Amino acid sequence: MENDSSRYQKIRKRALDLLSRREHSEFELRKKLLGKDAAVHAVDEAIEDLKRNNFLSDDRYAEAYVRSRVERGDGPLKIRHELSRRGVSGVLIERHMDQGDEFWEIVLRRVRSRKFGAAAPGDYKEWTRQARFLQSRGFAPEQIRKVVLFQETV
């Protein structure tokens, strides 16, 4: 039979293995560790130790997550929703998402240009096709209207 100390060490090792691959939110890590029939108190203890030693940080996770999703071309609505689903607090989400309207317009222009080219949509049907795509990426309708409706031909 496993004692508490060896159970804790096993859980901590698994947590460090997971964190060595990529950042995790506390919620994600807890979910993964508890999924392996681990004792709740041992998981709690390991997570507190990892936070104390700065191996686990929701702040660092949110920063890395936002950066990677912006590079992928996701918009603010989608990123906010995904961070929330991963257990990141609203305060941290706002801290890392508060880039300003100009920033998100630049991201939207880049995503639109990469998918559809630089030319403005030729007709309403094309405009709605582009708008649907951008909305599916997580951009707000008002951001899309502002950028796509008033798109200058390059």
Side-chain angles (χ1 to χ4, degrees):
M1 173 139 180
E2 259 184 327
N3 64 26
D4 283 347
S5 178
S6 68
R7 192 176 306 151
Y8 165 80
Q9 290 302 325
K10 211 158 116 176
I11 290 169
R12 189 175 188 283
K13 181 185 180 325
R14 173 142 168 73
L16 286 170
D17 287 346
L18 290 167
L19 289 169
S20 71
R21 292 185 188 100
R22 71 168 177 86
E23 292 284 347
H24 286 70
S25 69
E26 181 179 341
F27 175 80
E28 280 183 315
L29 189 60
R30 182 179 309 281
K31 189 174 171 183
K32 287 181 180 183
L33 294 175
L34 287 172
K36 295 288 183 182
D37 297 325
V40 175
H41 68 83
V43 170
D44 289 343
E45 188 180 338
I47 285 178
E48 287 308 312
D49 180 51
L50 294 168
K51 286 173 26 182
R52 209 175 16 258
N53 289 301
N54 205 26
F55 291 122
L56 178 64
S57 165
D58 277 0
D59 188 41
R60 197 172 52 235
Y61 171 77
E63 180 183 11
Y65 191 89
V66 169
R67 185 176 44 253
S68 75
R69 294 305 187 212
V70 166
E71 288 171 8
R72 231 174 69 171
D74 289 344
L77 298 177
K78 185 175 184 178
I79 297 170
R80 272 190 178 90
H81 177 72
E82 290 177 352
L83 281 171
S84 181
R85 281 187 46 229
R86 286 166 171 77
V88 176
S89 76
V91 171
L92 288 177
I93 292 172
E94 289 312 310
R95 178 184 303 158
H96 294 288
M97 294 296 297
D98 188 19
Q99 309 280 345
D101 291 342
E102 277 185 33
F103 173 81
W104 292 110
E105 285 177 23
I106 291 167
V107 173
L108 191 147
R109 286 180 200 282
R110 189 184 77 222
V111 170
R112 189 202 154 278
S113 177
R114 198 168 47 203
K115 176 79 173 174
F116 301 107
D123 58 15
Y124 182 74
K125 185 177 178 181
E126 179 59 22
W127 184 90
T128 57
R129 186 172 84 89
Q130 291 183 21
R132 273 193 313 272
F133 169 76
L134 293 167
Q135 207 165 4
S136 76
R137 293 304 288 266
F139 293 96
E142 57 274 4
Q143 292 172 318
I144 296 166
R145 271 191 298 280
K146 185 176 181 182
V147 170
V148 181
L149 260 185
F150 305 110
Q151 180 73 35
E152 297 126 22
T153 334
V154 179

